[in-house]
Amino acid sequence: MYQVYIDKPSYFEPDMAGEFKDLDKAVEFAEKEKSYDSEVTYTIEETCGTFNSYGEQLRHVVKRG
């Protein structure tokens, strides 16, 4: 599962904009959001369904833009 986070300078922290099963669709969505507003940055993270000892889901950054 891939999660797309959108961040703007006015946001306190990045907002999760969507979850996708396919990386290509996640990248397409993030690039589309960035084309609407040049101040937008995005991060795509992959989740594998495992958790650490604190109960937080493990995520790996796949792409930033």
Side-chain angles (χ1 to χ4, degrees):
M1 185 71 64
Y2 299 95
Q3 297 176 338
V4 177
Y5 291 89
I6 301 294
D7 192 19
K8 288 186 180 182
S10 61
Y11 289 177
F12 182 67
E13 60 183 49
D15 235 4
M16 187 169 81
E19 287 187 322
F20 300 89
K21 290 183 179 180
D22 185 28
L23 178 59
D24 293 331
K25 290 186 188 242
V27 170
E28 181 182 328
F29 175 79
E31 291 292 334
K32 189 176 181 182
E33 289 294 314
K34 187 170 177 90
S35 71
Y36 291 140
D37 188 356
S38 62
E39 293 184 349
V40 166
T41 59
Y42 65 85
T43 304
I44 300 175
E45 297 180 346
E46 180 181 20
T47 60
C48 58
T50 58
F51 296 87
N52 65 14
S53 61
Y54 299 106
E56 300 166 337
Q57 189 173 27
L58 296 177
R59 301 180 295 209
H60 303 283
V61 174
V62 175
K63 185 171 181 173
R64 290 187 181 171

